[in-house]
Amino acid sequence: MIEDILMFSRIESGRIQYMMDDFEASTIISELSEEWRDLIPANIEFKSLIFRKNAIVHNDKVRMKYIINQFMSNAVKFCKSGRILLYCQYHLNDDMIEYSVIDSGIGMTPDKQKAAFNLFWKDDEFTPGLGLGLSVAQQLADGMGIRITVDSKPGHGSKFSVIAKARLE
């Protein structure tokens, strides 16, 4: 929560700097998988998959990881049982990498999918958090020239993705 507030403050004040560099796309999945493995409740099945190694992304790895971490945090928050899948795949025809978090949680209506990226938006007053995470993620994505997508259906879970340019080596 404190990290979200600090990140929001940096973005709003224009003091955020992006450190663009090449990195192997699958490293984010490996790192986040290791970090989240012991934090996910035992009643939730967690898997991570890398569909293609050797994909290189030129972007800010730390900020991209922050965005995907937000997706993981929400997946755990809104998935009381079931499954969470963290993965990346390379889209050969588009030269893009897609990082996704899919959960079998509560899901969202189309209206809530749009509202979820608004600053301080929360589904209800009982939902933990400040409502900053996805708004900050969207602002970071905009600053890095990447795209966030969401696909969700009430009662059937959600899929949050971040899509960035990539190349194979």
Side-chain angles (χ1 to χ4, degrees), residues 8-129:
F8 173 73
S9 175
R10 282 188 216 115
I11 292 168
E12 287 297 304
S13 67
R15 292 182 302 145
I16 190 154
Q17 295 181 345
Y18 297 100
M19 305 300 290
M20 305 302 225
D21 203 1
D22 286 351
F23 62 91
E24 211 284 314
S26 67
T27 60
I28 289 180
I29 299 300
S30 299
E31 291 169 10
L32 284 174
S33 179
E34 193 64 34
E35 292 169 19
W36 278 97
R37 192 157 308 282
D38 293 333
L39 299 175
I40 296 175
N43 61 320
I44 298 175
E45 178 187 357
F46 174 63
K47 290 191 180 210
S48 63
L49 298 169
I50 299 166
F51 289 107
R52 179 90 184 219
K53 292 206 178 225
N54 303 327
I56 304 298
V57 177
H58 182 81
N59 217 304
D60 186 326
K61 180 182 177 185
V62 172
R63 307 281 192 242
M64 195 170 292
K65 187 175 169 183
Y66 177 93
I67 293 169
I68 301 162
N69 198 51
Q70 288 297 324
F71 299 163
M72 284 295 299
S73 178
N74 283 345
V76 171
K77 188 186 312 184
F78 295 107
C79 187
K80 300 303 177 201
S81 63
R83 294 175 298 290
I84 296 175
L85 173 63
L86 168 67
Y87 73 91
C88 72
Q89 68 182 26
Y90 182 78
H91 297 278
L92 186 60
N93 293 337
D94 300 321
D95 289 325
M96 303 293 256
I97 195 78
E98 178 182 355
Y99 294 98
S100 297
V101 175
I102 300 175
D103 67 67
S104 61
I106 62 172
M108 296 183 290
T109 64
D111 288 345
K112 288 182 181 181
Q113 290 174 46
K114 291 177 188 168
F117 293 94
N118 293 340
L119 190 58
F120 300 118
W121 184 84
K122 291 171 58 167
D123 189 30
D124 60 47
E125 63 206 54
F126 303 107
T127 303

